[in-house]
Amino acid sequence: MQLPSRVKIIDVGPRDGLQNEKQPVPSEVKVGLVQRLQDAGLAEIEVTSYVSPKWVPQMADNHEVMQAIARKDGVRYSVLTPNLKGWEAAQQDRPDEIVVFGAASEAFSQKNINCSIAESIERFAPVVEAARAAGVAVRGAMSCTVGCPYEGDIAPGRVAYLAGLMKGIGVERVDVADTIGVGTPLAVQRAIEATQQHYGIDQISGHFHDTYGQALANTLAALQLGVWNFQSSVAGLGGCPYAKGATGNVATEDLVFMLQGLGIETGIDLDRLVDAGVFISDFLGRKPNSRVATALLNKRAG
Amino acid sequence: MQLPSRVKIIDVGPRDGLQNEKQPVPSEVKVGLVQRLQDAGLAEIEVTSYVSPKWVPQMADNHEVMQAIARKDGVRYSVLTPNLKGWEAAQQDRPDEIVVFGAASEAFSQKNINCSIAESIERFAPVVEAARAAGVAVRGAMSCTVGCPYEGDIAPGRVAYLAGLMKGIGVERVDVADTIGVGTPLAVQRAIEATQQHYGIDQISGHFHDTYGQALANTLAALQLGVWNFQSSVAGLGGCPYAKGATGNVATEDLVFMLQGLGIETGIDLDRLVDAGVFISDFLGRKPNSRVATALLNKRAG
């Protein structure tokens, strides 16, 4: 089995993980989480988003959080920017990278952001241009690249189409996201291969949700194609708050355990990562949604 | 990616899954579970064990259960037999296959059954001989083939040694079990390759616990070596009753979802399988420990 020798993980817990949390999370807790993630060795952290607080009240403190984090050399701090207004606000806080987004499913694009895929990309074009002119990196999150709640299976051609649009407006690297977690290893490989029509393997990251328990198998399939950038969420933060027990992003702990077992370098200290997950889970009043965290915490408890 | 075109699953829920349950499960519930599994398309079911009720009180009704199940043509019903006395009792109930067992870890063998690996195999020799003379198939469960709670990592050479002993006494096929779920894909492949020194790939089944969330990734790695027999437990039954939240066998629902996504034939109806898991979980007063079951039940609930 051919595998990369190292993997870089973007922990999206502070942003993607917390954004749907119903209970307000104070800025100092978010800052504490970012601190613990970088202390555990995470070199990329998705910190917050600059969207309207009407839509995502949990991220209304983006400025406070970005100003309060103690930046560490070599760590990349990224933020989500949905439009020029968001970019302008974000710019003040000097993110290393901004994230724009688009869906591979037309129906999802219409229902989620009320416009076609092509229109959404057109709207992002000036954001990407402004960010790059300011020397800030740009990542494109491609959602529903395997399945869509409205359309079902997504053809690889639709993923290639979206990747081509992203490339066209200057997005430097993209995430292949299985937003609803229905993907299985071969389907995920096809979505990645479609993306490779426009991006090199070094510019592609895997973002797999664990709703159906498939995220690590999908990660293994992606590793076998040479993908070495992955996104995950400490303590499995995220998921749909309306579906009890449904999970969102794969837990960073579970991903790191597999990578360490495969002999792949991540730079992450698993024990400290588990501690970071306990920190935020304690605040939220629940257990980490991670099998590795559960098993290791049981071991610690004897 | 080279994968088998079909997979046969042995559901071990009624035996391996239920054996550690603290609350007594009445025979008619066990029989109901076996019925629902075969209705869902399972062609192999591990039904019960013939061990002393002092050690495993949950399996004391082995005779009642085996007599009460409505056998279906083409389905293989297996039982665990730890010794000649167990075999003699089992024989009355006409199992299609018996299961003997051994550990790849000396420390585990000593702590679990109080004798060396070699001694345990010697004790099984007359059981295997008697079963084969009676025309009953024999499977060997090899535990701790990747990791051991006492010894840590297990060298592939120890797996080959155990497989050789199993072969020597006439065991026809073997399970490569990751009993404590610490295995990751390459380690699991090495355990399987070690087993192949003595058994063909058609005689090897994968039995992966999901304690660290690695079971499906390990299954994918095993499939890539050509393994096409796997064991799992409906609703993720099993696991250690002393470690809250720790899981045991991978859920059959999660395994089937991945295999269907890979286009691999299983003969199993996933909806009916979810129903079988709900049936036993309802009796046990909890939710199925399966991400696929959770997600599909959430979808059904709208």
Side-chain angles (χ1 to χ4, degrees), chain A residues 203-223:
Chain A
Q203 279 75 51
I204 295 173
S205 54
H207 177 123
F208 308 129
H209 281 228
D210 211 20
T211 321
Y212 290 78
Q214 310 293 310
L216 290 189
N218 292 341
T219 300
L220 183 63
L223 288 166

Side-chain angles (χ1 to χ4, degrees), chain B residues 83-166:
Chain B
N83 50 38
L84 263 181
K85 197 176 157 203
W87 155 248
E88 281 155 13
Q91 190 176 14
Q92 323 260 324
D93 295 332
R94 300 178 301 103
D96 298 302
E97 182 173 65
I98 62 158
V99 182
V100 298
F101 50 89
S105 152
E106 280 294 351
F108 192 85
S109 185
Q110 288 292 352
K111 297 234 181 190
N112 199 37
I113 52 176
N114 209 27
C115 63
S116 73
I117 296 167
E119 284 164 351
S120 74
I121 296 298
E122 269 171 49
R123 290 185 199 170
F124 276 123
V127 178
V128 176
E129 195 182 345
R132 293 194 60 176
V136 173
V138 178
R139 176 158 57 85
M142 305 197 299
S143 66
C144 296
T145 60
V146 184
C148 162
Y150 311 109
E151 291 184 17
D153 291 348
I154 296 298
R158 303 306 300 166
V159 180
Y161 167 73
L162 175 61
L165 293 177
M166 290 268 185

Side-chain angles (χ1 to χ4, degrees), chain B residues 277-296:
Chain B
V278 168
F279 167 78
I280 186 65
S281 299
D282 277 354
F283 174 81
L284 296 169
R286 57 186 190 230
K287 301 281 179 194
N289 190 0
S290 152
R291 296 211 160 178
V292 165
T294 301
L296 292 180

Side-chain angles (χ1 to χ4, degrees), chain A residues 4 35 168 182 236 275:
Chain A
Q35 183 68 47
V182 295
D275 292 338

